Amino acid sequence: MIDCDIHHVIADQADFLSYMDTAQREWFQTRGDLGLPGYPWSHPFGFANDEGLLEPGYAPGALERISREALDAYGADIGILHANDASTVSLMASPYRAAAFARAHNDWVREQWLDGEPRLRGSILCPAQDPLAAAREIQRAAGTDDRFVEVLLCAGSERPYGEPRYLPIFEAAAECGLQVAIHTSGEGMGIAAPGGGVGPHTFYIEWHTVGSATSVMSHLVSLICNGIFERLPTLKVMLLEGGVAWLPGLLWRLDTNWRALRAEVPWLERRPSEIMRDHVRFSTQPLEHTDGHDSLLFEMLEAAGAPDILCFASDYPHWDWDDPKFVINRLPKAWRHKVMHENAAAFYGDKLGLVTA
Amino acid sequence: MREWHDVASLEKVVRDGRAIVRVGGREIGVLVDPSDGSLKALRNRCPHVGSPLCLGTLRTRESGTPGAYSLEEGKVLRCPHHGWEFDLVSGVCLDDPGMRVAVYDVKVLEGRVHVLA
């Protein structure tokens, strides 16, 4: 089993800052939040799932807990590590601070996480607000360790990621043989564009229902329309935590619009939905609860390309994480192996270092 | 069995740029291709939702590579309602090759336009 979304946290800021460029360390040290943009909403009882926290001192998402609770407990072969709040580094006002943060974070991940647990694989943070600097950091970090399997971008952004300004990021990823993960987070925060086009949400429940989904939809449509997959045929993108039940409807709209409006994007010679199937994967978590209509959900997802487009993700240790056993039991039997393992193994390829039987 | 039908005067078709005519139970559009003055005839019914296709625009279709636009060879007919484009020779919808509109041969005899339908 491959878990495509395990979050780790910076529990010990002093330890993290020991990896920081010494000339910039004081700036980060004097900020309780390490200079990262904060959420305007607060989860009513806590973002991390702390129930069952028996050992004080082990923060949620700490290495020992990940090994035991996310990997051992479910017999996971591989877990892909994603930064938690730190993924919003690309929304800091200063691209120079962001570049230093990303560099420190990548080195910290390599030594403190990947060296400590052989089943974990890393994702590279980059200062996406400065795409050329981001590309340099991707190349540097990828050169330090083969256990980095992808670039992590947060879905909060200044503009949709298909915009040509971001091309150096995707080119660097493709050159390094890395895939790109876009994970919901940061919408409307820091220098990000307001989410959804209607102004800021009032509540966390609103962001978690629409803010985290519409950002992912926008990136998906932007990447396809700008022809990023025509430019970079080997590139694949994983979209995480934006939900999936909306996907068939979005693709039906996009394909219909492409027939009439293709003069705007004449480099798309195939239906957008076909391009999506070849290049984009979606995390299962949070798999929508359907009030007894699971068969309808799976029938619709099949129309969008499932099971091949779905990869299991637990989102450990967040409050709405999906227990692998719960997801397996919901999935149609014929989908289970593909979603829980095969699709992610194909997405990351040899980079995972899986020994094939 | 298709037969030649005298459908309009050439003078009127050239003056208006097109003519919508009726042959049996079918509406057919005869259009002048402005690039070479040739006449084309297609059924005036878009296979998408039945719109009057032949009231659309004869145009050159765009192609390109990401971020760079160019023009394809030849003309297509763009449906006036939803913008789907059809190849003038084959009648195939270039935006959904599963769809196609009937196309007809055209000839001019003594100032009259004839359609093989």
Side-chain angles (χ1 to χ4, degrees), chain A residues 6-203:
Chain A
I6 293 177
H7 289 285
H8 57 154
V9 298
I10 301 173
D12 181 346
Q13 291 196 356
D15 172 51
F16 170 73
L17 288 172
S18 71
Y19 291 84
M20 181 66 70
D21 169 21
T22 50
Q24 300 204 45
R25 197 173 288 162
E26 186 183 351
W27 186 89
F28 287 95
Q29 234 158 14
T30 51
R31 277 151 189 84
D33 55 6
L34 290 169
L36 295 165
Y39 272 103
W41 319 284
S42 188
H43 188 284
F45 57 88
F47 290 102
N49 186 356
D50 278 345
E51 288 177 20
L53 175 59
L54 301 173
E55 296 157 80
Y58 285 128
L63 181 61
E64 295 79 0
R65 291 191 63 189
I66 285 176
S67 294
R68 197 174 62 247
E69 298 173 1
L71 300 174
D72 294 348
Y74 301 103
D77 300 297
I78 296 284
I80 311 292
L81 270 186
H82 287 146
N84 201 51
D85 296 341
S87 72
T88 61
V89 62
S90 55
L91 304 176
M92 293 171 70
S94 164
Y96 318 113
R97 300 297 185 200
F101 187 106
R103 183 184 178 104
H105 197 275
N106 292 331
D107 291 341
W108 173 75
V109 166
R110 192 178 65 245
E111 290 189 14
Q112 296 294 320
W113 300 85
L114 302 183
D115 286 352
E117 170 52 79
R119 288 168 294 182
L120 291 176
R121 297 293 178 274
S123 51
I124 294 174
L125 281 191
C126 67
Q129 65 273 68
D130 183 352
L132 292 176
R136 287 195 296 273
E137 177 55 22
I138 290 165
Q139 283 156 344
R140 185 199 70 84
T144 64
D145 203 305
D146 284 340
R147 292 170 298 181
F148 286 116
V149 296
E150 67 185 4
V151 173
L152 173 64
L153 298 172
C154 72
S157 62
E158 293 172 85
R159 292 207 63 189
Y161 284 129
E163 274 283 305
R165 72 174 70 177
Y166 296 114
L167 194 55
I169 295 174
F170 293 93
E171 285 175 335
E175 277 167 26
C176 295
L178 302 166
Q179 311 299 19
V180 176
I182 301 176
H183 190 294
T184 57
S185 182
E187 293 84 352
M189 288 164 56
I191 60 170
V198 294
H201 306 300
T202 316
F203 299 110

Side-chain angles (χ1 to χ4, degrees), chain A residues 226-228 230-231 256 258-269 271, chain B residues 59 61-70 72 82-85 94-96:
Chain A
N226 280 279
I228 194 99
E230 277 67 27
R231 290 183 192 266
T256 302
W258 169 76
R259 287 191 190 97
L261 307 174
R262 66 165 290 286
E264 285 193 295
V265 289
W267 42 84
L268 299 188
E269 292 175 352
R271 290 185 192 199
Chain B
R59 65 190 301 278
R61 186 174 164 91
E62 296 84 355
S63 62
T65 54
Y69 295 83
S70 56
E72 289 180 359
H82 300 99
W84 296 22
E85 293 181 338
L94 296 170
D95 301 308
D96 191 338

Side-chain angles (χ1 to χ4, degrees), chain A residues 224 252 254-255 258-259 268-277, chain B residues 95-98:
Chain A
I224 291 174
W252 288 328
L254 184 56
D255 280 356
W258 169 76
R259 287 191 190 97
L268 299 188
E269 292 175 352
R270 297 189 293 156
R271 290 185 192 199
S273 61
E274 290 174 27
I275 297 169
M276 185 284 293
R277 285 178 191 217
Chain B
D95 301 308
D96 191 338

Side-chain angles (χ1 to χ4, degrees), chain A residues 312-323:
Chain A
F312 170 73
S314 70
D315 190 33
Y316 172 93
H318 287 156
W319 65 276
D320 57 339
W321 79 296
D322 279 343
D323 183 323

